[in-house]
Amino acid sequence: MLFIVAFFATVLLTLNSQYLAAENSLDQNLINPQELIEQGRNLYEAERFSEAATLLQRAVANFEATGDKLKQAMTLSNLSLTYQQLGEWERAEQASAQSLNLLQTEQSINSSNARSQILAQALDVKGRLQLARGKAEATLTIWRQSADIYSRIGDRVGLTRSRINQAQALQTLGLYRQAQNTLTESTQLLQNQPDSLLKATALRSLGNVLRVTGNLEASGQVLQQSLAVAKGLQIPNAIADTLLSLGNTANAKRDTQGALQFYQQAANISTSQTIQVQALLHQLNLLVENKQQADAITLWQRLQSLIANLPPSRTSVYARINLAQTLMKLGNTEELADNSREIAQLLATASQEAKSLGDKRAEAYALGNLGGLYEKVEQWQDAQNLTQQALVLAQEVNAADISYRWQWQLGRLLKNQGKIQQAIANYDQAVKTLQSLRYDLVALDPNVQFNFRDEVEPVYREMVDLLLQANGREEISQENLVQARNIIESLQLAELENFFRAACLDAKPEQIDRVVDRSDRTAAAIYPIILPNRLEILLKLPNQGKIHHYVTKKSQSEIEIALEEIRQYLREPDRTDDVNRLSQQVYSWLIEPMEAELEKFQIQTLVFVLDGSLRNIPMSVLYDEGTKKYLLEKYAIALAPSLQLLQPKSLQRKKLSALTAGLSEKRVVEGQEFSPLENVNLELQRIQSELSSSETLLNQKFTKLNLENQINSTPYTVVHLATHGKFSSQIEETYILTWNQLLKVKDLDNLLRNADSKQSSDIELLVLSACETAAGDKRAALGLAGIAVRAGARSILATLWSVDDRSTAELMSEFYHQLGNTNVTKAEALRRAQIALWNHPNEDWKRPYFWASYVLVGNWL
């Protein structure tokens, strides 16, 4: 009997791997509880959960009648697991509680390993239930209890499975590094064991976590190990599962051809129609995204017959939905209209099948997508009715990751009908649901297609658009302005957490206004927001209760084209006239509307919380054609990823000490060649001459280990790194070069935060000279923002492109000289250093290429 519980428990690890066929019919005449459980298991594997629950209920009653408490407890745990799949949480709670109560009672009369093993497995099931209900910390505690039991009775398989479960809870808590460590330990324990399906599964789980956390190379390597184990065992569907994961990792690396090959291999090798369909759906989606329409249409026709032959199950429901979603992306609006009947039939069939299975979650997903189809073809009332039905079902089973979609969809539909206040209310609910999901966004149901740019960011932006629409009014209400500002702040946080693939930010919403009002009465916070048909600007002045609001009627495309051209010209020293011409336009859009207020309140520092493509250019270079002055000449400038993350505090000048490190020699590291930085020696020497206390790590001495040892041994206030580096929207491609390795942003974060915990956050300024944003990456500045909020430093001074290193030495020398003045903020010190470079006898250095690259992110005081 125990193998049945063990099988059910392993479903926690292999929900996407149904290896056994289900019975085609339900025999109501079964009496033997063993037969009831066997058929219940088959139905569970076939995802016919409602029917499985019926049989397991009968088995529970049978065991209760015979007084077999152990088998009754075992079956109740499996029944709880089945109810969880149906979203029937109260019933699942009751079944789990009854199981554990019986096992506690049985403890007094039965202390055998058999009872202990059933107890551990019952705890596995209870933990899964707690996790599904958003209680990840409680889950972790429960699964650690089950691990202790497995360890005590010598069940290595159960112990490893429990550790893999713990990793799932850690991911949900946003603790991806701990999850990775737990899985790594599990796989190491298995290394000396014979190859097994569990080993293949553990390696696949580790590979998937590594992908989610952005460690794409490591993910591919671990998944190849999993594949080798599965091939050695000759289990076709285990091989196919790993090939699917390899395809997902290749896709994350933007290796489209590699991903397509893995998906094709998975489809070819699998003996399971379910896995074949999953692999082909992945292929189809990639073909559509890459506009390979002819191949996509051929594959679509093949998928239609395969899906039609799938037995009724949750997998077949989601297969139809995912096929419909992909088809909605295929072609233009006219082609969508031509295919809409066929797509609607797919979704209607999915909905009916989910309903017959008693699967409210899947039914909600199908109905909501059908509502989305009607929205696209502008059948507004049908769309609204279906979306409302979907939302009710999703909320009944606490499916927040689906609920927010239908709240957002209702908001769009109401907006199209001119019901703006009702639309805003639905958008507000969608945002709140997303915020409740912050720990889960990177680990959503794999059946639910998820993309931050397409499925999360627009919710925030469209809500801001609605809040800032005049709709015949002369002024936007202060309530709307404050709400719009807060929504943009929330979007900044969500984007950063998506970058790190973890809910890792300690935000303090209550301090947004306090940062400006109390920290610096000469600083103003500016929120430029790029919307489809206009540039919205929110201005918060110190000790002003209200938010000022300005609008520039320019299309998003016009703004982004200008910004991209400025970005390109800034990297070419001889394009100064082009930079001035274009940046004057941006100045007129962004700064001119608020100039009178800035002068009236004698503002000296501008703190920008930038949006979208505005992050790609330094605000210092905006040019006022009337006065022939750059913005830098009028104001000190700082950038903030979010005011909720700042810790405004003046620099402790009396204790100013620096750890400086750099590379002057040519390096080839991890397959990349980096040119020499010949004036790094000069840069570091000049910094030393300006500071009374400093330590230098140059070339061979500049290693991660030496850096860590120095930071942990001495309370430095400044860490200055003069070396190559790159900021990217991809976490794995954001790094700083040391002598022998690329120091990734996650490692830098770890290194500096270790020091923080021991030295009470002594590091106040991190300087990164000779770094640059990744070419061709329009969101590359996100990597810089990511470093700023995770490095443990209150401020970061960095370069957006790699500049002539002799001029850098001049600028950095003057910057540290100015920092010695107790009346000068870091932002003002940078401004003065940039102007000093501009006024240098070397006329070339007047060009923006040389002085505009430097930006201060974070605390400007």
Side-chain angles (χ1 to χ4, degrees):
M1 296 297 294
L2 292 176
F3 83 94
I4 299 173
V5 178
F7 177 87
F8 269 56
T10 59
V11 174
L12 295 173
L13 312 179
T14 56
L15 282 171
N16 292 323
S17 309
Q18 294 81 19
Y19 295 152
L20 301 177
E23 300 290 335
N24 292 323
S25 63
L26 179 59
D27 185 349
Q28 297 294 339
N29 297 316
L30 286 173
I31 297 175
N32 186 320
Q34 171 68 42
E35 294 177 4
L36 290 169
I37 291 175
E38 285 285 355
Q39 192 165 0
R41 181 188 67 175
N42 289 337
L43 288 165
Y44 184 102
E45 290 174 353
E47 298 176 344
R48 291 162 62 179
F49 302 117
S50 184
E51 295 165 271
T54 299
L55 289 185
L56 291 174
Q57 287 166 351
R58 290 171 60 193
V60 167
N62 199 308
F63 287 130
E64 184 177 16
T66 61
D68 192 335
K69 291 184 178 180
L70 275 183
K71 293 175 182 176
Q72 184 184 353
M74 174 197 72
T75 310
L76 280 165
S77 282
N78 289 336
L79 181 59
S80 174
L81 191 61
T82 306
Y83 282 142
Q84 291 173 44
Q85 293 289 355
L86 291 166
E88 295 186 18
W89 305 113
E90 295 306 320
R91 283 185 166 187
E93 289 273 14
Q94 290 170 8
S96 178
Q98 289 173 31
S99 174
L100 290 168
N101 287 338
L102 283 168
L103 289 166
Q104 291 298 328
T105 303
E106 189 71 8
Q107 183 175 9
S108 60
I109 59 174
N110 189 332
S111 58
S112 67
N113 279 5
R115 177 205 158 269
S116 295
Q117 190 169 53
I118 292 174
L119 175 59
Q121 292 164 347
L123 288 169
D124 286 342
V125 172
K126 182 182 178 182
R128 177 182 171 82
L129 175 59
Q130 296 298 315
L131 187 65
R133 308 212 64 176
K135 299 175 182 177
E137 291 181 356
T139 298
L140 198 54
T141 300
I142 292 165
W143 280 341
R144 283 171 176 163
Q145 290 173 6
S146 73
D148 289 341
I149 296 171
Y150 287 127
S151 179
R152 188 171 66 248
I153 64 177
D155 184 347
R156 290 186 178 181
V157 171
L159 177 61
T160 302
R161 187 173 62 238
S162 184
R163 285 180 171 170
I164 297 172
N165 287 346
Q166 289 175 43
Q168 183 183 357
L170 288 166
Q171 289 178 67
T172 304
L173 286 167
L175 303 174
Y176 284 89
R177 193 174 297 279
Q178 288 186 40
Q180 183 178 320
N181 292 340
T182 299
L183 286 167
T184 301
E185 289 172 8
S186 299
T187 55
Q188 287 171 349
L189 285 172
L190 289 166
Q191 287 301 333
N192 296 325
Q193 300 296 318
D195 284 351
S196 64
L197 181 58
L198 182 62
K199 181 187 283 191
T201 300
L203 287 165
R204 187 169 67 249
S205 297
L206 176 57
N208 290 337
V209 169
L210 288 167
R211 179 178 66 252
V212 168
T213 56
N215 296 305
L216 301 181
E217 291 300 326
S219 172
Q221 292 167 7
V222 171
L223 289 171
Q224 286 291 352
Q225 294 176 41
S226 174
L227 182 63
V229 172
K231 284 182 173 179
L233 296 169
Q234 297 183 346
I235 303 177
N237 292 327
I239 296 170
D241 272 337
T242 304
L243 286 167
L244 277 174
S245 290
L246 280 163
N248 293 337
T249 295
N251 192 18
K253 292 166 70 173
R254 302 174 188 173
D255 177 9
T256 300
Q257 290 308 310
L260 287 171
Q261 288 173 10
F262 282 125
Y263 294 146
Q264 186 60 57
Q265 289 175 43
N268 291 341
I269 201 168
S270 176
T271 59
S272 161
Q273 272 193 318
T274 296
I275 298 175
Q276 290 173 9
V277 167
Q278 288 174 340
L280 294 174
L281 281 169
H282 281 302
Q283 276 185 268
L284 179 64
N285 196 47
L286 263 184
L287 291 170
V288 170
E289 285 180 358
N290 287 277
K291 304 189 185 310
Q292 299 179 37
Q293 305 232 149
D295 291 338
I297 290 169
T298 301
L299 185 55
W300 167 19
Q301 292 166 348
R302 180 183 172 190
L303 265 166
Q304 280 180 306
S305 60
L306 275 174
I307 290 174
N309 291 324
L310 285 176
S313 68
R314 173 177 285 181
T315 296
S316 69
V317 171
Y318 279 118
R320 286 182 169 87
I321 297 169
N322 289 339
L323 176 58
Q325 288 176 321
T326 301
L327 294 179
M328 281 191 265
K329 303 175 191 173
L330 185 61
N332 54 34
T333 305
E334 186 176 326
E335 288 170 316
L336 174 62
D338 292 339
N339 296 324
S340 61
R341 184 179 297 276
E342 193 164 354
I343 298 170
Q345 186 59 55
L346 274 170
L347 293 169
T349 302
S351 170
Q352 291 162 7
E353 190 171 294
K355 189 170 185 176
S356 70
L357 293 167
D359 193 335
K360 290 184 179 180
R361 178 186 173 86
E363 186 183 357
Y365 198 45
L367 284 173
N369 275 282
L370 185 54
L373 174 63
Y374 283 125
E375 178 191 12
K376 287 180 180 295
V377 295
E378 300 183 357
Q379 292 180 225
W380 306 119
Q381 195 56 55
D382 289 335
Q384 187 172 331
N385 292 339
L386 286 162
T387 306
Q388 286 170 333
Q389 292 175 48
L391 180 57
V392 168
L393 285 168
Q395 291 175 332
E396 281 182 15
V397 294
N398 196 30
D401 57 315
I402 297 177
S403 295
Y404 94 83
R405 295 165 181 264
W406 312 145
Q407 290 161 340
W408 172 29
Q409 194 159 287
L410 275 175
R412 296 196 306 269
L413 291 165
L414 290 163
K415 178 181 70 173
N416 284 326
Q417 296 172 58
K419 300 174 182 178
I420 301 303
Q421 290 309 309
Q422 291 174 263
I424 289 174
N426 278 278
Y427 270 97
D428 186 48
Q429 288 302 312
V431 167
K432 287 175 180 174
T433 303
L434 277 171
Q435 290 171 336
S436 75
L437 269 172
R438 67 183 285 236
Y439 289 101
D440 300 322
L441 277 177
V442 293
L444 289 176
D445 185 337
N447 290 307
V448 178
Q449 293 185 6
F450 172 79
N451 178 287
F452 184 88
R453 292 293 305 276
D454 298 333
E455 303 292 343
V456 174
E457 186 176 337
V459 183
Y460 292 87
R461 291 196 178 281
E462 290 169 17
M463 183 174 179
V464 169
D465 193 351
L466 279 175
L467 288 167
L468 299 181
Q469 285 181 12
N471 295 317
R473 294 170 294 174
E474 292 184 6
E475 275 191 21
I476 308 296
S477 71
Q478 279 295 307
E479 182 182 359
N480 277 24
L481 293 176
V482 170
Q483 192 175 5
R485 189 269 310 271
N486 294 345
I487 292 294
I488 282 297
E489 282 269 344
S490 296
L491 173 58
Q492 301 280 354
L493 297 176
E495 190 171 30
L496 283 165
E497 290 186 329
N498 183 65
F499 170 76
F500 283 108
R501 308 303 286 163
C504 55
L505 305 183
D506 182 20
K508 297 180 175 63
E510 70 279 359
Q511 76 176 26
I512 297 177
D513 291 323
R514 190 168 66 241
V515 167
V516 177
D517 292 342
R518 299 183 188 177
S519 303
D520 184 355
R521 297 188 178 185
T522 65
I526 302 171
Y527 293 81
I529 307 164
I530 302 173
L531 296 175
N533 60 351
R534 64 197 191 280
L535 175 66
E536 294 275 2
I537 305 151
L538 304 180
L539 169 66
K540 178 65 176 71
L541 295 165
N543 297 310
Q544 282 284 296
K546 70 174 188 176
I547 293 177
H548 296 263
H549 172 232
Y550 311 93
V551 184
T552 297
K553 296 288 187 180
K554 292 291 175 183
S555 70
Q556 181 175 349
S557 60
E558 185 176 355
I559 293 169
E560 290 182 344
I561 288 170
L563 294 171
E564 181 58 27
E565 288 182 345
I566 294 171
R567 182 192 191 196
Q568 292 176 8
Y569 293 151
L570 278 168
R571 294 167 184 252
E572 302 175 38
D574 59 348
R575 302 298 291 266
T576 299
D577 289 343
D578 291 315
V579 169
N580 291 351
R581 172 178 53 81
L582 289 165
S583 64
Q584 187 276 326
Q585 289 181 18
V586 181
Y587 185 98
S588 69
W589 301 337
L590 178 54
I591 304 300
E592 266 184 22
M594 67 178 73
E595 275 187 307
E597 292 295 324
L598 296 176
E599 291 174 8
K600 177 181 175 181
F601 285 87
Q602 299 180 326
I603 297 301
Q604 298 174 20
T605 303
L606 304 182
V607 182
F608 289 94
V609 182
L610 293 175
D611 179 49
S613 299
L614 284 163
R615 297 172 184 152
N616 295 335
I617 65 168
M619 293 293 100
S620 59
V621 82
L622 300 186
Y623 187 68
D624 182 358
E625 181 65 31
T627 62
K628 305 297 182 185
K629 288 184 176 181
Y630 292 103
L631 192 62
L632 175 73
E633 297 177 77
K634 300 180 180 184
Y635 303 98
I637 297 168
L639 308 179
S642 163
L643 293 189
Q644 299 179 56
L645 299 172
L646 292 188
Q647 303 176 36
K649 181 181 177 183
S650 297
L651 187 65
Q652 300 297 307
R653 264 74 171 190
K654 291 181 181 179
K655 299 180 181 179
L656 201 62
S657 61
L659 171 62
T660 62
L663 297 175
S664 61
E665 299 180 12
K666 176 182 176 180
R667 299 299 299 146
V668 178
V669 177
E670 297 184 23
Q672 297 186 56
E673 184 174 318
F674 298 91
S675 59
L677 298 169
E678 296 175 355
N679 285 291
V680 161
N681 280 328
L682 176 63
E683 179 179 337
L684 301 186
Q685 288 169 10
R686 291 198 172 183
I687 294 169
Q688 284 182 311
S689 69
E690 295 292 344
L691 300 175
S692 58
S693 175
S694 66
E695 182 69 32
T696 298
L697 302 173
L698 183 64
N699 292 330
Q700 291 94 332
K701 292 183 179 180
F702 179 21
T703 64
K704 177 185 176 183
L705 180 61
N706 288 342
L707 194 63
E708 186 171 9
N709 288 339
Q710 281 294 327
I711 289 173
N712 286 335
S713 64
T714 307
Y716 294 104
T717 50
V718 177
V719 173
H720 183 112
L721 307 179
T723 179
H724 292 285
K726 186 168 75 170
F727 309 121
S728 167
S729 61
Q730 303 296 313
I731 190 170
E732 190 68 9
E733 296 173 15
T734 298
Y735 61 80
I736 294 161
L737 176 68
T738 66
W739 177 257
N740 57 352
Q741 71 180 97
L742 301 181
L743 188 59
K744 302 295 175 68
V745 59
K746 290 176 293 186
D747 298 324
L748 180 68
D749 160 54
N750 242 16
L751 184 154
L752 295 177
R753 284 185 181 270
N754 285 344
D756 267 2
S757 63
K758 297 173 184 177
Q759 305 290 350
S760 303
S761 300
D762 289 304
I763 299 170
E764 296 191 39
L765 175 64
L766 174 64
V767 181
L768 305 172
S769 68
C771 293
E772 60 186 332
T773 53
D777 184 349
K778 293 184 178 181
R779 296 161 64 86
L782 187 60
L784 172 57
I787 288 178
V789 299
R790 289 291 299 276
R794 291 193 178 91
S795 315
I796 289 190
L797 173 58
T799 52
L800 293 179
W801 59 89
S802 187
V803 190
D804 169 79
D805 58 340
R806 185 165 184 82
S807 64
T808 296
E810 290 285 340
L811 183 138
M812 290 299 175
S813 174
E814 182 62 24
F815 172 70
Y816 284 104
H817 175 72
Q818 292 294 335
L819 276 185
N821 185 336
T822 57
N823 295 320
V824 174
T825 65
K826 283 173 274 191
E828 177 62 19
L830 175 59
R831 188 183 83 88
R832 293 183 182 185
Q834 288 173 297
I835 289 175
L837 188 66
W838 190 10
N839 291 327
H840 192 276
N842 186 334
E843 288 293 320
D844 281 346
W845 291 354
K846 290 184 183 296
R847 299 174 180 178
Y849 167 82
F850 291 95
W851 56 262
S853 175
Y854 306 89
V855 294
L856 183 72
V857 184
N859 174 30
W860 66 93
L861 295 177

